[in-house]
Amino acid sequence: MPTSDLIQRIDAALPQTQCTRCGYDACLPYAQAIALDNESINRCPPGGEAGIALLAQLTGQAIQPLDPECGSPTSPTVAFIDEEHCIGCTLCIQACPVDAIVGANKQMHTVLANRCTGCDLCLAPCPVDCIQMLPIEREWTGELADQARHHFQQRQQRLSLKHDESGSVAARVLANKPKVSAQADSTTHRKATIADVLAKARARRQS
């Protein structure tokens, strides 16, 4: 089988959550590492045991337990933003690999639940901890994986055109980055602005 075909088949077997738990920036780079560098097939928690078994069939590698360094198998979840405490910082929008969060600078954000892959990459950047991952009843199907791959590719294309950056995590952080004036971009002003919005968020929570 040509290597390019093997990469496509491995990528198609991955859940396309783009969660980076495997240690790679997205599902496709992991698929490439498996095909080209004989990377282990047990690094995808969302794929679980079924995913490892499928990858074993494709690659000839032996079935092995999920690598604990990558996390535990996870059931489908969706991000939920507590809109009352959202400060509109856009950091979660920048982190989302599939454009599942909508909003604008200093305006409330919300999650498009039918688009969210449950990757949880939006949790860490949130400065006020107003995002949580909630379990959902839906099954993560091949159709949803295909849609997630399409949304991820669309985002990568926009990043490339808008910022002339690669598809790395750093590039994702640049996505939807608002344009600011020279004054607003100064270190002192940025720190003051962040301190102000955090103080307001804490005051809202205490009240």
Side-chain angles (χ1 to χ4, degrees):
M1 180 189 303
T3 303
S4 59
D5 290 348
L6 178 59
I7 291 173
Q8 288 183 0
R9 293 184 66 178
I10 294 173
D11 185 51
L14 296 173
Q16 303 303 314
T17 55
Q18 318 300 343
C19 66
T20 75
R21 294 173 199 168
C22 61
Y24 294 86
D25 282 342
C27 294
L28 180 58
Y30 179 40
Q32 292 169 333
I34 293 173
L36 299 174
D37 303 323
N38 201 35
E39 175 64 278
S40 299
I41 58 174
N42 65 337
R43 300 185 60 83
C44 179
E49 294 181 359
I52 293 174
L54 182 54
L55 292 175
Q57 292 179 2
L58 291 172
T59 64
Q61 289 192 36
I63 294 177
Q64 48 196 304
L66 181 68
D67 188 337
E69 291 186 359
C70 299
S72 304
T74 54
S75 300
T77 58
V78 65
F80 173 79
I81 295 177
D82 183 347
E83 297 175 352
E84 182 180 352
H85 295 107
C86 174
I87 60 175
C89 68
T90 77
L91 294 178
C92 60
I93 294 177
Q94 297 167 31
C96 179
V98 293
D99 288 336
I101 304 176
V102 294
N105 194 31
K106 297 184 179 180
Q107 295 185 21
M108 179 182 66
H109 304 342
T110 191
V111 176
L112 303 177
N114 62 346
R115 195 172 180 130
C116 177
T117 68
C119 70
D120 80 20
L121 291 175
C122 57
L123 294 182
C126 179
V128 292
D129 295 326
C130 70
I131 307 175
Q132 57 180 317
M133 304 304 298
L134 301 179
I136 52 175
E137 296 296 328
R138 75 180 179 191
E139 179 184 356
W140 189 253
T141 64
E143 181 180 359
L144 289 174
D146 289 341
Q147 292 175 6
R149 183 191 295 105
H150 177 66
H151 295 152
F152 178 73
Q153 291 172 344
Q154 283 185 321
R155 181 179 177 82
Q156 297 307 99
Q157 291 172 2
R158 189 180 75 251
L159 284 172
S160 178
L161 292 172
K162 186 176 181 180
H163 299 293
D164 192 26
E165 293 283 345
S166 68
S168 65
V169 173
R172 286 207 293 270
V173 172
L174 288 174
N176 296 317
K177 183 177 179 181
K179 295 181 179 179
V180 294
S181 66
Q183 178 189 14
D185 201 33
S186 70
T187 302
T188 302
H189 188 84
R190 269 205 316 273
K191 289 182 178 180
T193 301
I194 292 172
D196 180 58
V197 295
L198 289 178
K200 289 179 179 178
R202 292 192 196 99
R204 283 205 305 270
R205 287 198 167 193
Q206 291 174 356
S207 63

